[in-house]
Amino acid sequence: MGRLAALGWIVGAALIHTLGNLPSSGALISAAAVLAITGILLRTGSLRTTGHTPELSGGLAMMLAFAFAGAAHTTWCAHARIADQLAPELEDKVTRLTLLVTGLPADRDGARRFEAQVLESPVAGIPQRILVSWASPRQWGGAEKPRMASDDRQLPPVLPGQVWRAALVLRRPHGTLNPAAFDYEGWMFARNVRAIAKVRGDPVLLDDRPLASAEAMVSRARYAVRAAMRQALGDRRYAAVMIALAIGDQDGVQAGDWLVFGRTGITHLVSISGSHVTMLAAMAAWCAMWIWKRVRIGSQPACEWLPARMIGAMIAVAVAWGYCLLAGWGVPARRTFLMLAVAAFGMGLRTPLAPTRIVCAAAALVIVADPWAPMATGFWLSFGAVAVLLGAGASATRMPKGTTNGTRLRDLFVAAARLQWLITLAMLPVLAFLFQQASASSPLANAIAIPAITFVVTPLALATGLLAMIPGLSGVAAALGWVGHQALWWTLVPVTWLAEVPWATLDVAQVPWPLLLLAMLGVGWALQPKGVPARWAGWCLVVPALTWQPPRPQHGEWRLVALDVGQGSAIVISTQSSDTLFDTGPAMGASDAGERILAPALRVFGIRSLASLVVSHPDLDHAGGLRSVISAIPVARTYASYDLPARLGATRGATRGARSTGEPPALPGVFQSCERGMGWQSDGVTFAFLHPERARAASERKARGSNARSCVLRIQGLHHSILLTGDIGVREEGAILATGDATADLVVVAHHGSRSSSSASFVAASRASHALIQAGRHNRFGHPDALVLQRWEDAGAEVWRSDLHGAVIATSGQNGLNVLAERQLQRRYWHGQ
């Protein structure tokens, strides 16, 4: 009964996060009450049913009751969180607020980023919790701002518990939204960060209150440990990883390291995982039990008053709680702590609990404390791995009795390796569904990394942090930090090699729900105990999820995906057997759209190679992701309006994986300049360049500018046509009009909807039924221009905007041109809130 109730609560809460609009919590509570009464009546026999036992019928009714109760609780919490939002009229306005720093500040590239609680506000409509970004004037002033000597000053340190008064520009959280991609707005909503603020001017430190709140106290302790560990570890290569292992602060870990960890499936070891918490709690429990067995109260041993196991359990829970707080209270840490707490509670009641009861109770309690926990992939991966351990762990680690120590150690290693293989295989469907990628090298990498990181590196990292905080022991802390870093460095040498082998990862397309459920049923069957017939058949049910390919257009038809890349452009056009990428999105600080958006999106649609890559012009909002794209996926032909090989500083004959080795990628396949009259055909679809004209001289090419020489590509299918315009202006539009090739059913509006493009004559001549604008929300250029929007609407075109609609998917078929937006397809109740 308890397990059914916990599962009901989990399912009810999780389903709420799949809705576009929240239901009424009152209606859900009423349904839960009716079902609960029905369940009680069924179980007591007061209400009878035919065909089912009272226990089964009553249990199912109670499970549904708890499902509605979990949904009601989550809905009530969500309504309260939505109410605490930034008023629309305050967006992009400077507001002076008094803040309490509550989170652990991240300091990167001289900037400060931290979560804060609003203490005082002069106006209503300011949320209680915001994320503050404080950069020097040199970083946010913009290219048009004259450089001042004061711009190079260092920002003061920001500590949790400090109270500041600052002038802030506030915005609601907004992120790009693409198919099966990371939902930034949902992530911020789950963290209860209801506005993003940028500092303007010089904030004033008013007070320092390290004991102002429990969160500030914990963050201040984490800040102190991080500062001490940074001093002890210095600038060593993996110092940030050592800090992440000790206190869960992952801000300093390099992007290249995350790539290695992800490709080898050891990311769970770098974060504060359940194994780390369990190891520390077990060590504390063993020490407590050893001491308690030797303590006497009067003439009697202390164990006669209170069993040593009870003392060990209480100490384990206390240590786990403290360490989980120090580690940031993430989902894996919460899961482990609650499992330990439930087990200790059962021990205190002298009622042994089955492992499945402990897991179900812990999962339900995690959601009761944080209704948005199911939105984190770590929730499902963490509890999924525990479920696999429960299903296969006992039989996998059972060893014959009477073996020697050497044989026992060998059998234990074999059993651990087998269990790791089982976990890897069992989690493949979930990883394929969540990330469209699974690590084939994970079993071997984990076999190397788990014992080294869990039993050597992590204890040394914890000891370094502890001793670094004690005055006079900084030298010992530095020595232990050096030993731990060396152990980590040598551990990651083979792991890094495994990340670079061609078979390190398995790319899969987005798995549909039915195939995921079929695969999970197969995993469950395959993990059955010995004696169950045809267990191997369960693994066969996993194969469809790993080999499925999305349906492609028919001959003469096409599909266009205009990805949401912010202020930039990236468009994927697919025909029956080939794919073309037009532009690669913008650069994004240390990363770019190619790495963060395009490569994952291509995996979602099952695209393993590109027949053609077109880079319209060299501006970074169109070519910023080029290096990542050509490093991630093979390209047969490349077109550009400029000397792309020279710009890359490379020759033909590219090699994959250049990004991981730090070498500049070479241009793959055949390169040609895009010029009017050039084109190709694919599966009955014609691709033709309308612009630029062949330049007579290099001086003319330079004089016309990069925007004016943008590649313009017209795509004609059996039923509909597309016009991709790059950043051309009114003059170039006139040249295209003179050729009579401006008509198209769907037009990607030039220059992100700038007033310098989309002349009235061009808009009218295109006769487009759909106009698509790729622009970033709150971009500094003011794109799209209101006049341009009005022109397209007056011409009868339906306007689609990536800043409002997310990614836009257009499908051409004999039944018509179907256009859908990602914010329509995947709308959730927190979007736009």
Side-chain angles (χ1 to χ4, degrees):
M1 178 60 194
R3 280 170 287 198
L4 289 177
L7 289 174
W9 190 282
I10 295 167
V11 172
L15 288 178
I16 290 298
H17 302 311
T18 66
L19 302 179
N21 295 288
L22 288 173
S24 169
S25 55
L28 293 173
I29 293 173
S30 300
V34 170
L35 286 167
I37 294 172
T38 303
I40 293 172
L41 294 176
L42 287 171
R43 291 180 64 87
T44 58
S46 302
L47 184 64
R48 296 183 178 182
T49 60
T50 59
H52 300 283
T53 63
E55 291 78 8
L56 178 60
S57 302
L60 291 177
M62 293 301 294
M63 181 180 179
L64 288 174
F66 274 90
F68 276 96
H73 174 258
T74 302
T75 301
W76 180 80
C77 294
H79 278 300
R81 185 162 292 186
I82 288 175
D84 183 33
Q85 64 179 344
L86 178 67
E89 63 271 14
L90 297 179
E91 279 202 284
D92 268 347
K93 300 292 191 301
V94 177
T95 308
R96 188 171 295 275
L97 304 175
T98 302
L99 311 169
L100 171 67
V101 181
T102 56
L104 181 64
D107 47 352
R108 181 177 296 180
D109 300 329
R112 308 283 188 265
R113 193 177 177 90
F114 54 89
E115 294 182 13
Q117 177 186 348
V118 177
L119 299 181
E120 295 180 8
S121 171
V123 294
I126 302 293
Q128 287 296 306
R129 192 176 182 87
I130 63 176
L131 179 65
V132 180
S133 179
W134 183 3
S136 63
R138 174 173 54 89
Q139 293 172 295
W140 57 261
E144 71 281 356
K145 178 181 180 294
R147 185 179 178 87
M148 307 291 290
S150 60
D151 290 350
D152 292 322
R153 65 185 184 276
Q154 294 293 323
L155 296 177
V158 176
L159 279 67
Q162 288 182 338
V163 178
W164 293 82
R165 181 181 292 124
L168 305 172
V169 177
L170 298 167
R171 290 178 179 175
R172 294 185 180 187
H174 180 86
T176 59
L177 194 63
N178 292 287
F182 175 70
D183 188 348
Y184 175 78
E185 294 174 42
W187 181 65
M188 295 292 278
F189 189 85
R191 293 173 58 189
N192 196 22
V193 175
R194 306 296 289 122
I196 298 174
K198 290 187 176 181
V199 173
R200 290 294 180 261
D202 296 321
V204 178
L205 178 62
L206 302 179
D207 197 2
D208 188 9
R209 306 174 189 170
L211 305 180
S213 67
E215 184 180 7
M217 291 171 58
V218 172
S219 297
R220 188 63 166 257
R222 298 181 70 204
Y223 183 93
V225 175
R226 183 180 69 177
M229 290 191 70
R230 284 178 174 177
Q231 185 174 2
L233 294 169
D235 57 353
R236 294 188 175 93
R237 171 66 178 82
Y238 295 113
V241 180
M242 295 281 287
I243 294 173
L245 289 170
I247 63 171
D249 175 36
Q250 303 172 353
D251 177 65
V253 180
Q254 299 181 15
D257 293 337
W258 285 121
L259 182 62
V260 170
F261 302 153
R263 290 177 64 86
T264 55
I266 67 167
T267 305
H268 64 100
L269 294 175
V270 181
S271 59
I272 302 298
S273 65
S275 59
H276 298 163
V277 178
T278 303
M279 177 196 67
L280 188 64
M283 292 174 58
W286 183 85
C287 293
M289 291 170 61
W290 187 87
I291 295 172
W292 188 252
K293 289 178 181 178
R294 286 155 180 78
V295 173
R296 300 184 68 86
I297 300 177
S299 59
Q300 294 181 337
C303 294
E304 294 187 6
W305 292 84
L306 192 63
R309 289 182 59 192
M310 186 66 65
I311 290 294
M314 291 189 295
I315 294 298
V317 171
V319 170
W321 178 70
Y323 182 46
C324 289
L325 288 178
L326 186 64
W329 200 240
V331 170
R334 272 178 277 166
R335 183 260 302 167
T336 306
F337 166 72
L338 288 171
M339 287 178 64
L340 290 172
V342 171
F345 179 75
M347 187 180 297
L349 296 178
R350 300 184 183 275
T351 305
L353 297 176
T356 54
R357 291 182 182 272
I358 296 175
V359 173
C360 291
L365 289 173
V366 167
I367 296 178
V368 170
D370 180 10
W372 293 274
M375 292 172 57
T377 57
F379 176 86
W380 303 105
L381 294 177
S382 178
F383 282 100
V386 172
V388 175
L389 287 172
L390 293 178
S395 60
T397 56
R398 187 182 297 117
M399 294 177 296
K401 296 182 179 179
T403 56
T404 63
N405 290 337
T407 307
R408 186 179 295 274
L409 184 62
R410 181 201 65 191
D411 291 345
L412 182 62
F413 178 80
V414 172
R418 178 176 178 271
L419 189 58
Q420 182 58 46
W421 271 102
L422 285 175
I423 292 176
T424 301
L425 291 174
M427 299 303 290
L428 273 178
V430 180
L431 292 171
F433 178 78
L434 294 175
F435 305 113
Q436 296 77 54
Q437 197 172 57
S439 175
S441 59
S442 174
L444 185 55
N446 276 275
I448 297 170
I450 284 177
I453 293 180
T454 301
F455 300 111
V456 178
V457 180
T458 299
L460 288 172
L462 291 171
T464 300
L466 177 63
L467 296 177
M469 294 291 295
I470 302 176
L473 296 181
S474 58
V476 180
L480 289 178
W482 180 86
V483 175
H485 184 273
Q486 288 296 108
L488 179 61
W489 191 88
W490 284 106
T491 300
L492 293 180
V493 168
V495 171
T496 303
W497 178 82
L498 286 172
E500 295 175 352
V501 296
W503 46 267
T505 57
L506 173 67
D507 291 342
V508 296
Q510 173 67 16
V511 180
W513 273 102
L515 289 184
L516 176 64
L517 294 177
L518 180 66
M520 297 307 297
L521 289 174
V523 169
W525 184 259
L527 294 179
Q528 294 299 307
K530 288 184 178 180
V532 176
R535 289 189 303 159
W536 58 268
W539 297 118
C540 297
L541 298 180
V542 178
V543 175
L546 302 180
T547 57
W548 185 81
Q549 287 292 313
R552 297 188 65 90
Q554 298 298 314
H555 184 80
E557 299 176 354
W558 49 259
R559 179 186 65 211
L560 176 144
V561 180
L563 294 167
D564 184 6
V565 294
Q567 183 64 20
S569 181
I571 300 169
V572 182
I573 304 99
S574 300
T575 61
Q576 188 176 35
S577 63
S578 67
D579 301 280
T580 297
L581 176 63
F582 189 91
D583 283 337
T584 62
M588 296 177 172
S591 181
D592 56 60
E595 179 183 15
R596 295 174 56 180
I597 298 176
L598 268 68
L602 294 176
R603 288 200 301 269
V604 166
F605 290 102
I607 298 175
R608 307 293 177 85
S609 63
L610 292 173
S612 304
L613 168 63
V614 181
V615 184
S616 63
H617 62 295
D619 287 3
L620 284 181
D621 56 340
H622 292 253
L626 176 62
R627 290 179 178 271
S628 294
V629 169
I630 63 178
S631 295
I633 189 169
V635 179
R637 300 188 308 272
T638 305
Y639 301 90
S641 61
Y642 60 103
D643 191 349
L644 186 54
R647 182 68 65 95
L648 283 175
T651 57
R652 297 177 184 176
T655 58
R656 291 187 66 185
R659 191 175 186 86
S660 62
T661 61
E663 301 173 4
L667 186 65
V670 178
F671 171 73
Q672 291 179 280
S673 296
C674 64
E675 294 176 353
R676 175 174 174 77
M678 295 176 56
W680 70 94
Q681 284 194 344
S682 176
D683 305 313
V685 180
T686 302
F687 296 74
F689 286 111
L690 305 184
H691 187 77
E693 299 279 356
R694 183 184 297 273
R696 295 183 179 180
S699 58
E700 180 183 349
R701 178 179 300 180
K702 183 177 180 180
R704 296 181 66 181
S706 62
N707 283 357
R709 285 196 54 81
S710 292
C711 301
V712 176
L713 183 65
R714 188 176 187 274
I715 303 168
Q716 179 65 60
L718 184 63
H719 309 291
H720 306 95
S721 57
I722 312 169
L723 188 61
L724 308 178
T725 56
D727 275 359
I728 61 171
V730 173
R731 174 183 171 183
E732 292 73 42
E733 291 175 346
I736 294 174
L737 281 176
T739 66
D741 293 330
T743 59
D745 297 286
L746 186 152
V747 174
V748 177
V749 177
H751 205 176
H752 317 286
S754 168
R755 183 175 291 193
S756 62
S757 305
S758 296
S759 64
S761 57
F762 182 82
V763 171
S766 70
R767 299 200 296 272
S769 56
H770 298 274
L772 197 157
I773 301 175
Q774 290 187 297
R777 188 167 184 255
H778 296 302
N779 67 82
R780 64 190 181 95
F781 307 102
H783 297 158
D785 186 79
L787 179 61
V788 170
L789 291 174
Q790 191 63 46
R791 280 178 187 166
W792 285 104
E793 291 173 354
D794 291 343
E798 185 173 1
V799 177
W800 302 86
R801 297 172 50 178
S802 61
D803 58 334
L804 299 181
H805 301 108
V808 177
I809 303 175
T811 305
S812 170
Q814 61 180 356
N815 295 326
L817 181 58
N818 185 31
V819 183
L820 296 172
E822 190 65 18
R823 288 189 181 271
Q824 295 174 341
L825 296 172
Q826 301 296 332
R827 173 170 170 74
R828 297 295 182 265
Y829 65 84
W830 55 79
H831 287 153
Q833 300 296 333

